């Protein structure tokens, strides 16, 4: 997007919606409809198996195929996904991280088939693995090899795809994980420093072209409801980025130092209670990143009013798209120079954020940088602590959430009159069809060509060779996502990031301390009645890596006296059952936000019964529609908690009751 220097009307940002579900065919149809409605860019949501490098028929993919995005298992799926869409003219954002190289290889291979000029391909691969270790959980490989994949992509793209952003430094999920504005700024910029240092030190890019590398680094940020602070945060972001790229990397061209960012406003801040209030939340958050011309977003995608309830329908996405279009085309926002230049209030807040962020950047750099701060658990512990403090503020009422902890009286919402039909649902047959399709794809390939491509990838991974060309060869040979990732898993190994729970330190005072004390007494008394200290296993079954809720439950359970077993994300139901039996827990708490609850939760309940632990109550938390909650209770789940159940100490008291009831019945 150009930045005019005269008084002409500014061009609108790239207007996107984050979309994809079920299959490549259905997602392609959705993309075409959205483009016809005036969307100016595509933002591809991949399902969790694709994001974590598994094929649809893998055990860990059960219940996850097509739920939170589109499954892309091979080049055939990518062809279908972009059928009829001019890739040379599209601006495509792909939210993909650990297998980002693979999805970019598939995208480029299809563009090559279609005769698209690589120098015209424009878009972004998210590709920020550091924030995956901290917040979103779709990592695969250890930090070192992951950084190598990112470095190879950046170095390759500078020459081959000069208009492509090979990485989107993503502070979005840091804010969702609890980051303060200063932490969000600091940790995102530390990640950018780690990437740029790695590219520079790899020797793959000549020094005279390093400015081109810096010029293609982009950011993806979150905008919350404190929209004045959020606007100032973006001005601070731009100032810090300009300073770092000039001082640390010697980039002289101001255009290459310009901070380019896209935004999605805060999805996890949307409420299940009175969800119609989410409309005004989304609009206000959008203003935070569009009002300030000197730090305006280059691309915007908005969530929908009902995303706290489930997957949005096309009509819901259209409503969110029209919000952007009204602001961009009906208002006079784009006719003016920066509205806040010279404001002493804004300048003071920006300076405060810059100072706080610089101090935290210095702390992380003294530890050895972002990767070292991930491996030590420092950053994760800080985020878990910060989010716990925010939750305490909401529970106490110090932070007001309209319709949730204040102004709760409401009329029935006509927007929800359709019940379960008010959200998009994925056909249960989707997963079976995807499994059948990927098996048919494997059977129809030239096995020798596939094996040769995989062998070449394996051999290259054992050296310091750039892996993009080997990945492109795999894409053209018909290799699947699971096969590509499987080869690299064998060479690089896998990784489990620190959970941050043990490092979280949160105090309580006033009524909160009194309430926690009362529940702590009940936990102690229940343990005495049962004959051992109460133990809770907190589990994340399947591939859902959004662990913020699970971590907060684990912290609160610990603080009221439970002994907590929490092994992090990405566990099979059988692994959770085995841990529950081995640890002798008194209750199992499962967290599922990906929509796979009807598949993975009953598997845990049935597994406990088969292991003779049917007296252990199972409770579930997540984005679970009322109809599904009823099904889970019928299948043996003791209680279902959703985002409206935000009072965690009260929840702990209810869990104590369930444990005692189960003990007295056994």
């Amino acid at each position: 997007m150009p930045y005019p220097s005269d008084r002409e009307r500014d061009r609108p940002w790239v207007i996107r919606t984050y979309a994809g579900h079920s299959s490549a065919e259905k997602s392609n149809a959705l993309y075409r409809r959205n483009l016809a409605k005036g969307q100016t860019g595509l933002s591809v949501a991949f399902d969790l198996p694709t994001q974590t490098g598994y094929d649809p028929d893998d055990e860990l993919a059960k219940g996850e195929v097509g739920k939170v995005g589109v499954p892309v298992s091979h080049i055939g799926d990518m062809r279908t996904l972009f059928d009829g869409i001019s890739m040379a003219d599209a601006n495509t954002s792909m939210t993909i991280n650990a297998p980002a190289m693979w999805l970019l290889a598939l995208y480029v291979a299809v563009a090559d088939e279609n005769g698209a000029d690589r120098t015209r391909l424009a878009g972004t691969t998210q590709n920020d693995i550091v924030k995956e270790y901290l917040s979103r959980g779709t990592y695969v490989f250890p930090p070192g090899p992951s950084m190598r994949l990112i470095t190879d992509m950046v170095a390759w793209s500078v020459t081959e795809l000069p208009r492509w952003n090979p990485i989107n430094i993503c502070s979005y999920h840091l804010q969702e994980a609890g980051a303060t504005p200063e932490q969000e700024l600091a940790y995102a910029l530390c990640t950018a420093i780690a990437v740029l240092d790695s590219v520079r030190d790899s020797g793959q890019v000549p020094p005279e072209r390093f400015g081109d590398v810096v010029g293609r680094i982009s950011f993806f940020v979150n905008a919350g409801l404190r929209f004045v602070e959020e606007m100032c945060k973006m001005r601070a972001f731009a100032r810090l980025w300009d300073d770092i790229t000039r001082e640390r990397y010697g980039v002289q061209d101001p255009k290459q130092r310009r901070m380019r960012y896209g935004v999605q406003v805060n999805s996890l801040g949307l409420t299940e209670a009175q969800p119609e209030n989410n409309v005004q939340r989304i609009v206000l958050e959008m203003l935070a990143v569009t009002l300030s011309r000197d730090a305006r977003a280059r691309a915007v995608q908005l969530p929908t009013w009902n995303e706290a309830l489930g997957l949005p329908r096309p009509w819901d996405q259209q409503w969110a798209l029209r919000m952007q279009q009204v602001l961009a085309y009906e208002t006079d926002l784009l006719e003016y120079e920066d509205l806040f230049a010279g404001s002493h209030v804004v300048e003071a807040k920006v300076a405060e954020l810059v100072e706080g962020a610089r101090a935290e950047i210095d702390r992380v750099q003294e530890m050895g940088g972002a990767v070292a701060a991930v491996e030590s658990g420092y950053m994760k512990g800080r985020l878990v602590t910060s989010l716990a403090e925010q939750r305490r503020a909401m529970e106490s009422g110090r932070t007001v959430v309209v319709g949730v902890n204040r102004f709760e009286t409401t009329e029935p919402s006509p927007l929800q009159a359709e019940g379960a039909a008010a959200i998009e649902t994925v056909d249960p047959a989707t997963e079976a069809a995807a499994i059948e399709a990927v098996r048919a794809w494997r059977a129809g390939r030239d096995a020798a060509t596939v094996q040769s491509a995989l062998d070449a990838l394996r051999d290259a991974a054992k050296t310091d060779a750039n892996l993009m060309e080997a990945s492109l060869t795999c894409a053209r040979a018909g290799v699947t996502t699971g096969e590509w990732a499987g080869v690299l898993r064998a060479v690089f190994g896998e990784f489990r990031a620190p959970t941050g729970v043990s490092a979280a330190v949160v105090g309580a005072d006033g009524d909160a301390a009194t309430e926690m004390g009362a529940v702590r007494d009940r936990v102690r008394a229940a343990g005495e009645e049962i004959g051992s200290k109460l133990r809770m296993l907190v589990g994340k079954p399947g591939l859902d890596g959004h662990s913020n809720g699970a971590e907060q439950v684990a912290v609160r359970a610990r603080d009221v006296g439970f002994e907590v077993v929490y092994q992090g994300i990405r566990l099979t139901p059988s692994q959770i059952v085995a841990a529950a039996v081995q640890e002798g827990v008194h209750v199992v708490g499962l967290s599922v936000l990906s929509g796979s609850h009807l598949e993975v939760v009953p598997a845990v309940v049935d597994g406990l019964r088969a292991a003779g632990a049917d007296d252990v109550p199972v409770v579930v938390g997540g984005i679970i529609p009322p109809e599904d909650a009823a099904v889970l209770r019928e299948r043996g789940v003791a209680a279902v908690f959703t985002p409206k159940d935000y009072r965690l100490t009260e929840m702990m008291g209810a869990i104590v009751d369930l444990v005692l009831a189960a003990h007295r019945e056994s």
Side-chain angles (χ1 to χ4, degrees):
M1 185 184 80
Y3 280 69
S5 58
D6 55 24
R7 301 187 67 83
E8 71 184 41
R9 182 181 174 89
D10 205 354
R11 287 190 185 183
W13 49 90
V14 176
I15 296 174
R16 292 185 172 121
T17 53
Y18 182 54
H21 67 87
S22 299
S23 67
E25 292 88 350
K26 290 186 177 181
S27 297
N28 173 262
L30 179 60
Y31 297 162
R32 289 195 192 196
R33 286 201 303 272
N34 286 347
L35 290 170
K37 293 172 183 174
Q39 184 175 299
T40 57
L42 295 172
S43 182
V44 182
F46 296 99
D47 73 352
L48 287 172
T50 305
Q51 291 186 49
T52 50
Y54 294 105
D55 289 333
D57 57 347
D58 192 281
E59 179 188 7
L60 271 168
K62 184 174 177 55
E64 307 280 14
V65 178
K67 287 286 174 66
V68 299
V70 56
V72 175
S73 301
H74 46 71
I75 193 170
D77 288 339
M78 190 65 81
R79 289 171 185 145
T80 301
L81 191 62
F82 286 92
D83 182 43
I85 297 171
S86 174
M87 298 173 79
D89 299 313
N91 190 307
T92 304
S93 172
M94 295 193 285
T95 300
I96 195 76
N97 295 285
M101 178 181 285
W102 175 240
L103 273 297
L104 180 61
L106 292 175
Y107 188 86
V108 172
V110 172
D112 287 346
E113 290 178 349
N114 293 337
D117 182 352
R118 287 186 180 181
T119 64
R120 291 183 59 192
L121 296 181
T124 303
T125 31
Q126 191 171 104
N127 205 18
D128 175 359
I129 205 66
V130 171
K131 69 94 175 48
E132 296 299 319
Y133 300 130
L134 295 175
S135 56
R136 192 166 171 270
T138 63
Y139 56 80
V140 176
F141 314 112
S146 294
M147 193 62 71
R148 182 246 180 112
L149 292 173
I150 294 169
T151 299
D152 286 355
M153 279 183 66
V154 173
W156 185 85
S157 297
V158 165
T159 301
E160 296 292 327
L161 306 178
R163 295 183 61 199
W164 193 269
N165 302 323
I167 186 168
N168 221 207
I169 307 297
C170 185
S171 71
Y172 176 89
H173 299 92
L174 300 180
Q175 185 181 115
E176 287 191 339
T180 64
E182 292 87 350
Q183 289 171 337
E184 185 181 346
L185 290 166
Y187 298 163
L189 289 168
C190 284
T191 299
I193 289 170
V195 170
L196 288 176
D197 283 0
S198 180
V199 174
R200 179 195 60 196
D201 297 345
S202 75
Q204 295 189 61
V205 179
E208 64 272 16
R209 294 214 60 186
F210 200 73
D212 295 332
V213 172
V214 171
R216 297 319 305 176
I217 300 294
S218 63
F219 293 81
F220 185 69
V221 305
N222 204 333
L225 270 170
R226 293 175 59 83
F227 74 97
V228 175
E229 183 175 68
E230 293 291 321
M231 182 272 293
C232 292
K233 178 188 77 180
M234 297 320 305
R235 296 173 81 91
F237 227 143
R239 185 173 301 177
L240 286 162
W241 182 240
D242 186 75
D243 290 347
I244 289 169
T245 53
R246 184 182 64 255
E247 296 168 5
R248 187 180 183 96
Y249 301 108
V251 178
Q252 299 302 309
D253 186 345
K255 291 182 179 179
Q256 293 177 328
R257 298 199 309 266
R258 180 180 295 145
M259 184 195 172
R260 300 173 306 112
Y261 75 96
V263 66
Q264 169 147 330
V265 305
N266 190 9
S267 294
L268 284 191
L270 305 181
T271 64
E272 176 189 13
Q274 298 182 26
E276 62 276 7
N277 294 337
N278 294 330
V279 175
Q280 49 265 36
R281 291 187 177 105
I282 293 166
V283 170
L284 288 169
E285 290 168 342
M286 174 173 57
L287 291 177
V289 293
T290 54
L291 281 178
S292 175
R293 180 172 175 176
D294 287 353
R296 182 172 291 149
R298 304 286 295 275
V300 177
Q301 57 192 43
L302 302 181
T304 67
W305 70 277
N306 57 350
E307 283 196 22
L309 308 176
L311 190 68
R313 301 159 298 182
W315 183 85
D316 306 313
Q317 290 193 333
Q318 175 182 298
W319 193 359
L321 174 63
R322 297 296 186 236
M323 292 178 199
Q324 292 200 59
Q325 290 169 328
V326 168
L327 180 63
Y329 298 111
E330 290 193 30
T331 77
D332 60 350
L333 173 65
L334 300 180
E335 296 173 11
Y336 294 94
E337 298 297 319
D338 190 87
L339 303 178
F340 304 102
S343 165
H344 67 275
V345 174
V346 170
E347 282 302 311
K349 184 62 179 177
V350 170
E352 175 190 327
L353 292 171
V354 166
E355 181 181 5
R358 278 186 174 143
E360 188 66 8
I361 289 170
D362 290 344
R363 273 190 286 273
V364 172
Q365 294 307 117
E366 287 170 4
M367 295 176 185
V371 171
V374 164
E375 294 172 330
S376 70
Y378 168 76
M379 288 199 289
K380 183 65 174 178
R382 293 274 288 169
L383 293 176
V384 173
T385 298
S386 179
L387 185 58
E389 290 169 349
Q390 292 171 29
R391 290 200 63 88
R392 293 269 171 84
M394 186 177 78
E395 290 178 63
S396 70
R398 286 183 289 118
T399 296
V400 174
V401 182
V402 174
V404 175
N405 65 355
R406 195 169 175 185
F407 312 117
E408 298 169 61
T409 303
T410 183
E411 300 296 329
S413 169
L415 290 174
Q416 295 179 270
E418 298 172 86
I423 57 173
E424 186 80 31
T425 55
V426 175
D427 188 336
T430 293
E431 186 165 306
I435 290 172
E436 181 181 350
V438 77
R439 289 175 177 169
W441 175 268
R442 292 194 200 108
R445 304 174 304 183
D446 184 311
T449 302
V450 170
Q451 192 58 54
S452 175
L454 290 172
D455 289 344
L457 176 65
R458 182 181 298 105
D459 292 343
K462 294 176 181 177
T463 71
D464 60 359
N466 190 300
L467 296 180
M468 268 304 302
E469 290 297 337
S471 296
L472 276 164
T473 300
C474 286
R476 297 187 184 102
V479 165
T480 68
T481 297
E483 290 168 338
W484 179 88
V487 164
L488 296 187
R489 280 185 169 96
V491 177
F492 296 153
E494 294 192 70
F495 183 73
R496 294 196 71 79
T499 67
V501 170
S502 61
V505 179
V506 185
D509 52 24
D511 292 342
T514 301
E515 183 185 14
M516 286 182 63
V519 174
R520 193 178 294 114
D521 290 342
R522 293 184 58 206
V523 170
R524 185 184 305 109
E528 291 171 355
E529 178 178 336
I530 291 172
S532 66
K533 186 174 182 179
L534 293 195
R535 289 186 296 280
M536 176 190 293
L537 184 146
V538 177
K540 290 284 298 176
L543 297 176
D544 170 29
H546 285 87
S547 58
N548 300 334
E551 289 154 2
Q552 293 305 310
V553 168
V555 169
R556 189 62 56 87
R558 179 201 66 190
D559 289 350
V560 298
F562 279 90
E563 184 177 301
V564 177
V565 178
Y566 178 55
Q567 299 171 328
I569 64 171
R570 213 177 303 162
L571 299 170
T572 65
S574 60
Q575 287 172 324
I576 291 173
V577 169
V581 172
Q582 181 178 346
E583 297 287 346
V585 301
H586 301 99
V587 61
V588 172
L590 304 178
S591 170
V592 186
L593 285 85
S594 65
S596 65
H597 44 268
L598 291 181
E599 291 83 10
V600 296
V601 172
V604 173
V605 174
D606 294 344
L608 288 170
R609 286 174 178 162
D614 52 343
D615 58 337
V616 176
V618 175
V619 301
V620 182
I623 299 175
I624 301 174
E627 296 83 359
D628 289 358
V631 172
L632 291 175
R633 283 189 287 267
E634 289 172 3
R635 292 294 304 272
V637 170
V640 176
F641 301 100
T642 65
K644 70 177 183 298
D645 303 303
Y646 66 92
R647 294 182 174 90
L648 293 185
T649 303
E650 185 178 299
M651 182 190 299
M652 292 301 121
I655 290 173
V656 173
D657 291 339
L658 292 172
V659 171
L660 285 174
H663 171 70
R664 290 163 182 169
E665 290 175 5
S666 61

